[in-house]
C-alpha cells in the first residue's frame, strides 16, 4: 500500500482526511494574497481600493500564483522552477496581457507620469521598451506577486502539507479557466491595456521569452535531489537583509548603469542564496526570510510613494497603515508558526 503522495494528483492519506474547506483554504488564501501583494503592498492603492483590486485582479494574479505553485509541487521541483515560472508570468503579463512593457503612455494617466523620462534612459533599440521598467515589472511580479505569497502560505502550513500539491487535475483546470478569464478581462478592458496594441515584433519577442523561461523552468534538473553540504548557513535574518540590500542598491543610479548594477546585484544574490540553500542547515525559515524581505521592504516604503490615482491624505495614510499591519501580521505569524514547528524540517531543491 503506498504511503507517499501521488505526484500527479497530490493525493496523500493525511490530506485526504482533511475537510474540503481546509484543503481549499490555502488555495483561496493565495488567490487573495497575490493581487494584494502585487498592487497594494507597496502603496499603489488607497485603502478604499483594496477590495476592488482583490475582486478584479485576483483571478489573474491569484490564478497565476496558484498555477505556478501547483506546477512546481506536482513536478516535485523547488524554488528555481517557481522563480523561473514567475519570471515567465511577469513577461507574459507586462508584454502580452496589459502590454505596459511596450506602451510608453501606460503611466501617463497616473501619478507616476513623471517616471517616463527615467524609463526612456534605458530604451532598447528596435524593440522600444525600457530595460529599467522591464526589470522592475518582471522583478516585482517575481518577488511580490508570486514568491512572497507562496512562501507565506506554505510557511503557515504544517511540514506534511507544505511541499505537497493542493489541487488535482479538476482543480487545476478550474483555476486555469479563472486565470484565462481574468487575463482576458484585463486585455479587453480600456483601463487594462489602455487601447494600446504592441507591434508584431514586440509581441513575438515577449512570446519567445515566455516560452524560453517556461522551458528552462521545466528542465528535469530542478527535480533532482541535491546532496546537502555540511557547512553552516547564516541566520535567516542575514538572508533577508541580503535581499533588502539588493533591492535598495538597484535603485541608486538611473539609466543603463543603474540597470546593470541592479541586474548584477540580483544575479549575485540569487547565486549566493542558491549556494546557501545547498547546505544542511537551510530550512523553511531561511526560505521565508528570502521570500518576504522584498515584501517587507515594499511595505516600509509605501509611506513615501503615491497611489496610482489621487486620493485624500487620510485614505492614502490609512492604506499605508493597513499595509504595515497586514505585512507584520503575515510575516510575524508565519515566523511564529515555524518557530513552533520542528527545527529539523528542511526544504529540498530550494
Amino acid at each position: 500500500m503506498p504511503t507517499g503522495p501521488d505526484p500527479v494528483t497530490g493525493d496523500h492519506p493525511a490530506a485526504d482526511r482533511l475537510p474540503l474547506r481546509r484543503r481549499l483554504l490555502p488555495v483561496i488564501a493565495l488567490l487573495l494574497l497575490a493581487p494584494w501583494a502585487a498592487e497594494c503592498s507597496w502603496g499603489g492603492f488607497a485603502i478604499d481600493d483594496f477590495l476592488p483590486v482583490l475582486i478584479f485582479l485576483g483571478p489573474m494574479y491569484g490564478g497565476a500564483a496558484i498555477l505556478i505553485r501547483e506546477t512546481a509541487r506536482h513536478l516535485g521541483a523547488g524554488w528555481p522552477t517557481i522563480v523561473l515560472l514567475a519570471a515567465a508570468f511577469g513577461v507574459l503579463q507586462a508584454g502580452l496581457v496589459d502590454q505596459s512593457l511596450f506602451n510608453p503612455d501606460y503611466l501617463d494617466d497616473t501619478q507616476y507620469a513623471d517616471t517616463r523620462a527615467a524609463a526612456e534612459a534605458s530604451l532598447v533599440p528596435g524593440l522600444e521598451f525600457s530595460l529599467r521598467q522591464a526589470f522592475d515589472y518582471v522583478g516585482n511580479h517575481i518577488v511580490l506577486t508570486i514568491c512572497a505569497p507562496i512562501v507565506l502560505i506554505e510557511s503557515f502550513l504544517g511540514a506534511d502539507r507544505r511541499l505537497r500539491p493542493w489541487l488535482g487535475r479538476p482543480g487545476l483546470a478550474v483555476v486555469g479557466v479563472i486565470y484565462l478569464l481574468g487575463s482576458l478581462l484585463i486585455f479587453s478592458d480600456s483601463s487594462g491595456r489602455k487601447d494600446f496594441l504592441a507591434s508584431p515584433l514586440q509581441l513575438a519577442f515577449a512570446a519567445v521569452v515566455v516560452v524560453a523561461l517556461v522551458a528552462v523552468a521545466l528542465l528535469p534538473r530542478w527535480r533532482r535531489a541535491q546532496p546537502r553540504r555540511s557547512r553552516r548557513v547564516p541566520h535567516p535574518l542575514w538572508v533577508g537583509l541580503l535581499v533588502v540590500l539588493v533591492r535598495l542598491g538597484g535603485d541608486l543610479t538611473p539609466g543603463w548603469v543603474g540597470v546593470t548594477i541592479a541586474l548584477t546585484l540580483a544575479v549575485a544574490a540569487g547565486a549566493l542564496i542558491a549556494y546557501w540553500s545547498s547546505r544542511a542547515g537551510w530550512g523553511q525559515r531561511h526560505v521565508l526570510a528570502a521570500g518576504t524581505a522584498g515584501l517587507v521592504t515594499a511595505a516600509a516604503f509605501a509611506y513615501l510613494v503615491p497611489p496610482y490615482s489621487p486620493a485624500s491624505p487620510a485614505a492614502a495614510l490609512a492604506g499605508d497603515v493597513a499595509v504595515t499591519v497586514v505585512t507584520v501580521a503575515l510575516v510575524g505569524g508565519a515566523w511564529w508558526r515555524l518557530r513552533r514547528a520542528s527545527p529539523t524540517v528542511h526544504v529540498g531543491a530550494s
Side-chain angles (χ1 to χ4, degrees), residues 151-315:
V151 74
L152 278 169
I153 301 303
E154 289 189 343
S155 295
F156 274 101
L157 297 177
D160 60 330
R161 298 178 62 200
R162 185 173 300 141
L163 303 183
R164 301 188 186 282
W166 299 333
L167 298 172
R169 289 194 182 94
L172 288 174
V174 171
V175 174
V177 171
I178 291 174
Y179 166 71
L180 289 175
L181 291 177
S183 298
L184 181 61
L185 173 65
I186 298 302
F187 178 83
S188 59
D189 185 71
S190 60
S191 62
R193 191 166 44 86
K194 300 187 177 181
D195 299 319
F196 171 85
L197 187 62
S199 70
L201 177 61
Q202 291 171 327
L203 295 175
F205 170 76
V208 169
V209 173
V210 170
V211 172
L213 287 169
V214 171
V216 175
L218 300 182
L219 288 175
R221 64 170 300 176
W222 309 124
R223 300 170 228 170
R224 298 172 188 155
Q226 301 295 326
R228 291 282 183 169
R229 298 183 177 93
S230 58
R231 298 176 182 177
R232 294 178 58 187
V233 294
H235 190 278
L237 293 182
W238 288 111
V239 179
L241 180 60
L242 172 66
V243 177
V244 171
L245 292 177
V246 170
R247 175 65 178 85
L248 298 179
D251 290 332
L252 294 179
T253 307
W256 285 100
V257 174
V259 175
T260 302
I261 293 174
L263 286 170
T264 301
L265 289 174
V267 171
L272 184 56
I273 290 174
Y275 173 71
W276 283 338
S277 69
S278 67
R279 298 181 178 183
W282 184 268
Q284 184 65 20
R285 279 180 284 180
H286 295 87
V287 179
L288 177 64
T292 60
L295 177 66
V296 172
T297 305
F301 280 90
Y303 294 90
L304 303 179
V305 300
Y308 282 118
S309 301
S312 67

Side-chain angles (χ1 to χ4, degrees), residues 9-35:
T9 65
D11 295 335
H12 185 265
D16 290 343
R17 291 193 293 269
L18 291 174
L20 179 62
R21 60 181 178 82
R22 286 197 60 190
R23 282 184 280 144
L24 291 182
L25 185 59
V27 177
I28 296 173
L30 187 54
L31 185 71
L32 298 176
L33 183 56

